[in-house]
Amino acid sequence: QKEVEQNSGPLSVPEGAIASLNCTYSDRGSQSFFWYRQYSGKSPELIMFIYSNGDKEDGRFTAQLNKASQYVSLLIRDSQPSDSATYLCAARSSNYQLIWGAGTKLIIKP
Amino acid sequence: EADIYQTPRYLVIGTGKKITLECSQTMGHDKMYWYQQDPGMELHLIHYSYGVNSTEKGDLSSESTVSRIRTEHFPLTLESARPSHTSQYLCASRQNVDTEAFFGQGTRLTVV
């Protein structure tokens, strides 16, 4: 079982709709969580990070963390074609390593 | 914009050659990482360092070595390149264990 799991997709969402990306983790001691966006052939870039239970909003993006359920999600409101990319979830584990999910490919259809 | 740089961006090299991929950052970060990523696939950690003279192997055995003589510099060396080493290599750094990792632009390596 992978330590950080994501559905590989592709997840297809109409333009203007809400895209919901999910991530589960196995290490209950994980403390901080990161969402990265990676365009094809490019390097990952940070979208958001979250440390505390609940929601954290930044513009069109909302990260949600539920430590009891070991679940992190990223919501993208008013999805744009430029949001089409692979989204990587990462968790800082209890042994201080950064553990990466395999990523979810998101396609926003005009 | 992240101040982490990788050279070369692209490299085509023959089997058996020794190569060094360069990574430098100007942010003063102690923690640096090398990842290997095939197109459309996940990141695989191959080496990491938590400071000068500290290096560790990651999950993927890539037959490579690293050194960390200076904080800002973390080169990756392949002693004898093979076609199986063809991939994208990404270098990253971060300030501490709970801060974001910044990535370089990557080196796309092709071994023929």
Side-chain angles (χ1 to χ4, degrees):
Chain A
Q1 180 186 2
K2 289 198 167 191
E3 295 183 61
V4 175
E5 295 213 44
Q6 297 181 256
N7 188 320
S8 62
L11 175 65
S12 184
V13 173
E15 183 176 357
I18 296 175
S20 178
L21 302 160
N22 304 315
C23 172
T24 58
Y25 59 95
S26 59
D27 181 353
R28 192 168 284 278
S30 296
Q31 291 298 317
S32 47
F33 305 87
F34 305 86
W35 281 102
Y36 281 76
R37 177 177 61 200
Q38 186 175 26
Y39 293 114
S40 180
K42 302 294 186 182
S43 299
E45 55 182 351
L46 183 73
I47 297 294
M48 291 191 71
F49 62 87
I50 187 166
Y51 302 147
S52 304
N53 273 330
D55 295 1
K56 179 181 179 182
E57 187 175 318
D58 183 1
R60 294 187 297 114
F61 300 93
T62 299
Q64 299 175 317
L65 174 59
N66 184 326
K67 289 188 177 181
S69 301
Q70 295 173 242
Y71 177 93
V72 191
S73 65
L74 179 70
L75 302 178
I76 306 174
R77 288 182 298 281
D78 188 24
S79 297
Q80 302 297 310
S82 59
D83 295 326
S84 297
T86 295
Y87 288 79
L88 304 174
C89 172
R92 193 272 277 173
S93 66
S94 54
N95 66 352
Y96 307 109
Q97 295 292 336
L98 193 58
I99 310 300
W100 295 86
T104 298
K105 184 173 183 178
L106 176 65
I107 298 172
I108 306 300
K109 290 191 170 181
Chain B
E1 191 168 311
D3 294 321
I4 180 165
Y5 309 99
Q6 291 185 242
T7 57
R9 291 288 311 282
Y10 302 93
L11 180 62
V12 180
I13 200 162
T15 298
K17 297 291 186 182
K18 177 180 179 179
I19 56 172
T20 296
L21 308 184
E22 301 288 348
C23 177
S24 294
Q25 51 94 6
T26 59
M27 297 174 282
H29 290 171
D30 285 329
K31 295 166 181 52
M32 296 189 74
Y33 306 83
W34 275 104
Y35 293 94
Q36 185 177 338
Q37 186 182 38
D38 293 324
M41 304 299 285
E42 62 191 288
L43 292 167
H44 290 285
L45 180 66
I46 46 179
H47 292 282
Y48 62 98
S49 168
Y50 281 177
V52 171
N53 294 326
S54 156
T55 61
E56 300 286 345
K57 288 197 171 190
D59 301 324
L60 181 67
S61 173
S62 69
E63 300 159 338
S64 58
T65 59
V66 292
S67 63
R68 189 88 184 274
I69 298 171
R70 302 195 318 264
T71 297
E72 61 270 23
H73 195 213
F74 190 41
L76 175 77
T77 297
L78 285 170
E79 292 292 334
S80 180
R82 296 209 306 263
S84 60
H85 293 137
T86 294
S87 188
Q88 169 146 278
Y89 292 82
L90 292 166
C91 180
S93 74
R94 58 180 178 154
Q95 179 61 37
N96 63 52
V97 294
D98 286 314
T99 56
E100 70 171 291
F102 294 90
F103 284 83
Q105 292 181 296
T107 294
R108 184 162 298 281
L109 173 66
T110 303
V111 184
V112 297

